[in-house]
Amino acid sequence: MAATGILRDGPIGFIGLGLMGAPMCRNLQAAGARLVLYNRSAAKAKRLARKNDVVASTPRDVAEQAKIVILMLADTRAVQQTLFGRNGVSEGLRRGSLVVDMGTTDVLQTRQFGKWVAEAGASYVDAPVSGGEIGAKAGSLTIMAGGSRGAIAKARPIFAVLGDRFTHVGAVGAGQVAKAANQVIVGLTIGAVAEALGLAAAAGVDPAKVRTALEGGFAASRILEVHGERMIKGRFKPGGKAQTQRKDIAQALTLAKAANIDLPATKLNLRLYDQLIKQGGGELDHSALYKLFVKHRQ
Amino acid sequence: MAATGILRDGPIGFIGLGLMGAPMCRNLQAAGARLVLYNRSAAKAKRLARKNDVVASTPRDVAEQAKIVILMLADTRAVQQTLFGRNGVSEGLRRGSLVVDMGTTDVLQTRQFGKWVAEAGASYVDAPVSGGEIGAKAGSLTIMAGGSRGAIAKARPIFAVLGDRFTHVGAVGAGQVAKAANQVIVGLTIGAVAEALGLAAAAGVDPAKVRTALEGGFAASRILEVHGERMIKGRFKPGGKAQTQRKDIAQALTLAKAANIDLPATKLNLRLYDQLIKQGGGELDHSALYKLFVKHRQ
């Protein structure tokens, strides 16, 4: 495929080559981009690099060689360390550079990171994704972004390669707010389907039949479809891990506290995930919440 | 349209001609059925009757004139009274008759009604619906049914006129179990979307943009689509009333108690609906639950 727009203009920095980052890089390579790669364990970067790519020695090194730097890291602490730690991205940033955080990061800290990057004359976009490893591989991620119009416009050709659905939600941090809302709905809808199918089973009715009956109506959702099936089959290979879901809900509740809003159902959902994790279910798919509602009959 | 199968074979009894029942009858008439109509206030039956139809004086009268009797009543007490009260359906039932309850009725009592009807040599189907007044008018209801195969087979041509989606869930009562599961998911998903959009608004981000961003991913649902839009526009004309939703959740919790399963999120959801009703929101659409999460900024 011929590289167009920004993919042709210069190398793209990519930091964080895990389950999500690695397939995202492969899609950028396939679209013709040259990459400057960095990962804390360097072997992953070396394995991923093709002949036009560069393996950088530090995040600073990435920022010195690429005017766009994408982050796909595990948590907020890793983002902070990579951007502002020793040999971090901020030490190599140039005027007009662009930092794009595509992980799920705390909203208030994201706003702070955006300010600090702006003070260096660069710009910042938060662009968390939904769709998981499958979406990362297929280039079909849902991307929800926060940042200025100019910065978003620069990042759009990259988003077009990585995802098939994009929304500019608002200013820096707004993408992370949307992701928090997403995770609140996902956790609570899994809990809703778990209680409903658990009720059907406890009342002596086949939950698979109930799921089928509900699919056309107002109870229909992607969760009923995908995670409802996992519950019925008892197949809890992730997918999205329960402990990641738990972390994301906790992060949403931190935001809620700062925004002075009480979210009682979300709070309860966190306690239910805690219970699942305590029972050893943290590494299972988040739909394993269903186990809390069928355990007495297994 | 030419009447086929059961619609041609004999008159169909229909009891309960309210918001749902009246348009359902019109669809049966349009499909060529002759109806034996009964309503507690007789004016509605007279208004609805066409030249081939009969207006009955009691539920017993309906059962004497029609071998299939459909009920579309407000609650369990009305079903019990209509079936087994003085001049009730049971007094007029013949061997081989069929009673079809299409309302949302308590599961345990439905099983009891099924037994009593069977003792009279007739059969019983519970076939509650999802889709509301709009679905009743359009003949596009989702129908979830419980009963024997033979009884369901007799009712199928009628369901084909009234709805566009049908599932035989299991034995008598299984349709009501599915409806309870449906209402649990609907109530909890409304709560999920309300907390998520409330969080976005409290964090200073446009909830309309957040809803758009979420539509393609795992947070996608009919509730996000339909009720999420009502929340954003602040338009709470029902649709489904908050107090009906409250009643249905309470009924699901009664079933849960009998089935010895604890549903903590459903219990919390009931308390939230109580709070909304206490604030005067009982007649609003059930999506008005959102008001609990934005009131401090209005």
Side-chain angles (χ1 to χ4, degrees), chain A residues 107 111 130-132 142-144 165 167-170 173-174 177-182 184-186 188-189 191-206 209-224 226-227 230 252-253 255-257 259-268 272 286 292-294 296-297, chain B residues 107 111 130-132 142-144 165 167-170 173-174 177-182 184-186 188-189 191-206 209-224 226-227 230 252-253 255-257 259-268 272 286 292-294 296-297:
Chain A
V107 171
R111 288 172 177 163
S130 171
T142 293
I143 301 171
M144 37 207 115
R165 201 181 161 87
T167 309
H168 182 192
V169 184
V177 170
K179 181 68 193 278
N182 187 79
V184 162
I185 292 179
V186 167
L188 288 173
T189 309
V193 172
E195 292 200 7
L197 297 183
L199 174 62
V205 172
D206 181 1
K209 288 270 176 62
V210 169
R211 176 172 160 275
T212 302
L214 269 43
E215 271 184 331
F218 275 138
S221 66
R222 283 280 286 156
I223 298 291
L224 180 66
V226 176
H227 301 81
R230 287 180 191 158
L253 286 169
L255 175 62
K257 196 171 180 187
N260 196 26
I261 183 171
D262 186 38
L263 304 180
T266 307
K267 276 183 192 163
L268 172 63
L272 294 174
H286 44 176
L292 300 182
F293 302 100
V294 287
H296 61 289
R297 30 186 18 91
Chain B
V107 171
R111 288 171 178 164
S130 171
T142 293
I143 300 170
M144 38 207 114
R165 200 180 163 89
T167 308
H168 182 193
V169 184
V177 170
K179 182 69 193 278
N182 187 79
V184 162
I185 292 180
V186 167
L188 288 174
T189 309
V193 172
E195 292 201 5
L197 297 184
L199 174 62
V205 172
D206 181 2
K209 288 271 177 63
V210 169
R211 174 173 161 275
T212 302
L214 269 44
E215 271 184 332
F218 275 138
S221 66
R222 283 279 286 156
I223 298 292
L224 180 66
V226 176
H227 301 81
R230 287 179 191 158
L253 286 170
L255 175 62
K257 196 171 179 184
N260 195 26
I261 183 171
D262 185 38
L263 304 180
T266 307
K267 276 183 192 162
L268 171 62
L272 294 173
H286 43 176
L292 300 183
F293 302 100
V294 287
H296 60 290
R297 30 184 21 88

Side-chain angles (χ1 to χ4, degrees), chain B residues 61-272:
Chain B
D61 188 18
V62 175
E64 283 170 347
Q65 296 192 59
K67 294 204 74 175
I68 298 186
V69 180
I70 299 172
L71 309 182
M72 195 65 196
L73 298 161
D75 55 33
T76 302
R77 219 165 65 109
V79 174
Q80 170 146 29
Q81 187 61 29
T82 302
L83 289 177
F84 306 104
R86 187 173 146 79
N87 286 319
V89 167
S90 63
E91 294 180 12
L93 272 186
R94 293 173 279 167
R95 294 197 72 77
S97 286
L98 171 64
V99 174
V100 184
D101 175 18
M102 300 192 74
T104 298
T105 305
D106 179 88
V107 171
L108 301 178
Q109 293 195 68
T110 292
R111 288 171 178 164
Q112 189 58 61
F113 299 159
K115 273 183 200 157
W116 288 339
V117 165
E119 283 164 11
S123 48
Y124 194 91
V125 167
D126 52 306
V129 303
S130 171
E133 196 188 346
I134 295 169
K137 283 182 178 165
S140 66
L141 293 167
T142 293
I143 300 170
M144 38 207 114
S148 71
R149 284 193 186 194
I152 295 280
K154 271 196 217 175
R156 282 300 291 269
I158 293 173
F159 296 153
V161 171
L162 300 176
D164 59 11
R165 200 180 163 89
F166 168 82
T167 308
H168 182 193
V169 184
V172 171
Q176 296 296 352
V177 170
K179 182 69 193 278
N182 187 79
Q183 295 306 82
V184 162
I185 292 180
V186 167
L188 288 174
T189 309
I190 286 175
V193 172
E195 292 201 5
L197 297 184
L199 174 62
V205 172
D206 181 2
K209 288 271 177 63
V210 169
R211 174 173 161 275
T212 302
L214 269 44
E215 271 184 332
F218 275 138
S221 66
R222 283 279 286 156
I223 298 292
L224 180 66
E225 191 188 326
V226 176
H227 301 81
E229 191 177 21
R230 287 179 191 158
M231 293 178 199
I232 285 163
K233 296 193 169 161
R235 288 189 195 151
F236 300 120
K237 185 176 168 244
K241 287 183 187 174
Q243 66 186 14
T244 307
Q245 180 69 47
R246 196 262 173 220
K247 181 209 80 170
D248 291 349
I249 295 168
Q251 208 157 275
L253 286 170
T254 302
L255 175 62
K257 196 171 179 184
N260 195 26
I261 183 171
D262 185 38
L263 304 180
T266 307
K267 276 183 192 162
L268 171 62
N269 194 243
L270 184 76
R271 292 202 298 275
L272 294 173

Side-chain angles (χ1 to χ4, degrees), chain A residues 234-284:
Chain A
R235 288 187 194 152
F236 299 120
K237 185 176 166 245
K241 287 183 186 174
Q243 65 185 13
T244 307
Q245 180 70 47
R246 196 263 172 218
K247 181 210 79 168
D248 291 349
I249 296 167
Q251 207 157 274
L253 286 169
T254 302
L255 175 62
K257 196 171 180 187
N260 196 26
I261 183 171
D262 186 38
L263 304 180
T266 307
K267 276 183 192 163
L268 172 63
N269 194 243
L270 183 76
R271 292 201 297 275
L272 294 174
Y273 272 105
D274 279 340
Q275 209 175 313
L276 174 62
I277 290 165
K278 204 172 161 187
Q279 291 177 13
E283 295 292 317
L284 298 177

